[in-house]
Amino acid sequence: RSHRFWLLIPELALLVLTLLLFALAALAPTDFVISARIAALVLTGIGIVPLAIWTAVNYFDDYYVVTNLRVTRRDRQLLMYEARVEAPIDMVQDVTVDTNLVGRTFGFGELVIRTAAKVGSIRFDHVPYPQAVRDTILQGRAEAQAAIRGHQREMLRSGLIQSLDLALTLPPRQPA
């Protein structure tokens, strides 16, 4: 997921808006204090609380996944929009990290994963510990490419054995 900082900022903004609304209700003339407080309570219940819940749900619906097979980014807006971009990890060509001063202070940054797949680039915005994620992706790529090379060598070996028509067939080699 994105860094928690990106959930905290909009939620704090909504909290400040709520406090400002109740401060304005408290500063209302004495004839309208009760009406202003009720109006502030209704506006908070109808507008600000659902917006805060929607912001939290939106934050928890989006995620990034790095496995030994692929790199995936999923973006979703509740009942409106859903997109998933993924690429095989062995197709990753380059991973770049971009952080600014705030990102280095709080431990987040942006990753751009360039791939040879048809999706092109996959962008991880505001990912926590971007250097560690970059290292994980590059290590996964190296392991996937080593597995592919090993499979190709094994296919060549078995093809050569079959083409030579050896009288004694060798059992398939099992990895340790």
Side-chain angles (χ1 to χ4, degrees):
R1 297 197 188 329
S2 294
H3 195 273
R4 290 187 182 164
F5 187 72
W6 296 102
L7 171 65
L8 190 63
I9 294 286
E11 294 292 340
L12 284 177
L14 291 172
L15 180 65
V16 166
L17 183 63
T18 302
L19 293 176
L20 182 64
L21 196 61
F22 280 104
L24 287 175
L27 294 176
T30 54
D31 297 341
F32 300 110
V33 169
I34 302 294
S35 300
R37 288 181 183 169
I38 291 173
L41 193 60
V42 167
L43 284 174
T44 300
I46 291 175
I48 296 175
V49 170
L51 190 58
I53 291 171
W54 180 79
T55 302
V57 167
N58 183 41
Y59 172 80
F60 287 109
D61 270 352
D62 300 342
Y63 60 80
Y64 312 122
V65 178
V66 178
T67 67
N68 60 346
L69 297 177
R70 65 182 41 94
V71 177
T72 304
R73 175 188 172 149
R74 178 178 166 228
D75 293 322
R76 184 172 157 190
Q77 295 281 340
L78 189 63
L79 301 174
M80 296 186 325
Y81 171 80
E82 183 172 351
R84 183 167 57 188
V85 180
E86 61 185 19
I89 194 129
D90 60 326
M91 297 292 237
V92 171
Q93 292 179 332
D94 186 31
V95 180
T96 57
V97 175
D98 184 28
T99 58
N100 55 19
L101 180 63
V102 176
R104 284 189 295 274
T105 303
F106 290 103
F108 66 87
E110 295 182 7
L111 258 72
V112 178
I113 305 160
R114 289 178 185 80
T115 66
K118 73 177 185 179
V119 295
S121 297
I122 299 174
R123 187 177 190 89
F124 286 5
D125 295 322
H126 315 299
V127 67
Y129 310 110
Q131 294 294 340
V133 175
R134 177 184 168 269
D135 294 342
T136 302
I137 292 171
L138 293 178
Q139 180 183 359
R141 178 188 69 170
E143 290 172 1
Q145 289 174 342
I148 289 171
R149 282 193 302 273
H151 180 57
Q152 289 172 344
R153 286 183 186 151
E154 188 61 30
M155 294 300 290
L156 283 173
R157 183 186 78 81
S158 65
L160 281 173
I161 290 171
Q162 287 177 355
S163 67
L164 290 175
D165 291 330
L166 294 174
L168 181 62
T169 59
L170 296 176
R173 192 185 303 179
Q174 297 294 327

